[in-house]
């Protein structure tokens, strides 16, 4: 029997990976973890289900790019990322119904 995507063990592995990846790339794990769960996961689900499954990773990249270009401290990066996620989620809700799988 396969585990659900939001299985606690799976989510713990995701957080561990994101913290490790953040450290490897010299990024504050606090920023990544605060935005990744649940904000980016929600956006990824919306994007995959309603717009384009292959477009999901580049969409997350766009959110990170916007936050990075805006600059600021960790709290500013989190705020800009969350703002961008919510803007895109609203856009998807208003403009897309189902997409390619």
């Amino acid at each position: 029997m396969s585990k659900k995507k939001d299985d606690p063990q799976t989510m713990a592995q995701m957080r561990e990976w994101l913290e490790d990846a953040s450290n490897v790339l010299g990024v504050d794990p606090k920023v990544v973890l605060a935005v990744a769960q649940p904000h980016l996961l929600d956006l990824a689900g919306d994007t995959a289900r309603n717009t384009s499954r292959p477009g999901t990773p580049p969409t997350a990249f766009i959110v990170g790019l916007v936050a990075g270009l805006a600059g600021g401290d960790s709290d500013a990066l989190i705020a800009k990322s969350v703002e961008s996620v919510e803007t895109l989620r609203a856009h998807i809700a208003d403009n897309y119904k189902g997409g390619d799988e």
Side-chain angles (χ1 to χ4, degrees):
M1 182 171 165
S2 66
K3 293 189 255 182
K4 290 177 62 175
K5 292 179 191 173
D6 59 355
D7 170 76
Q9 182 179 0
T10 301
M11 298 306 286
Q13 287 174 322
M14 177 202 69
R15 285 187 297 275
E16 183 178 324
W17 161 246
L18 291 175
E19 186 169 346
D20 186 35
S22 298
N23 288 326
V24 166
L25 297 176
V27 176
D28 182 356
K30 171 187 154 193
V31 174
V32 176
L33 293 171
V35 176
Q37 189 185 357
H39 305 287
L40 276 177
L41 294 178
D42 289 342
L43 176 61
D46 290 350
T47 304
R49 284 189 300 277
N50 299 301
T51 65
S52 167
R53 186 172 300 279
T56 300
T59 301
F61 174 79
I62 292 168
V63 169
L65 185 60
V66 168
L69 290 172
D73 64 8
S74 294
D75 291 335
L77 292 173
I78 292 168
K80 187 63 176 178
S81 296
V82 171
E83 174 188 324
S84 297
V85 165
E86 294 311 315
T87 297
L88 289 175
R89 291 189 73 211
H91 181 74
I92 291 168
D94 291 344
N95 296 285
Y96 293 87
K97 292 194 189 278
D100 62 294
E101 295 283 325

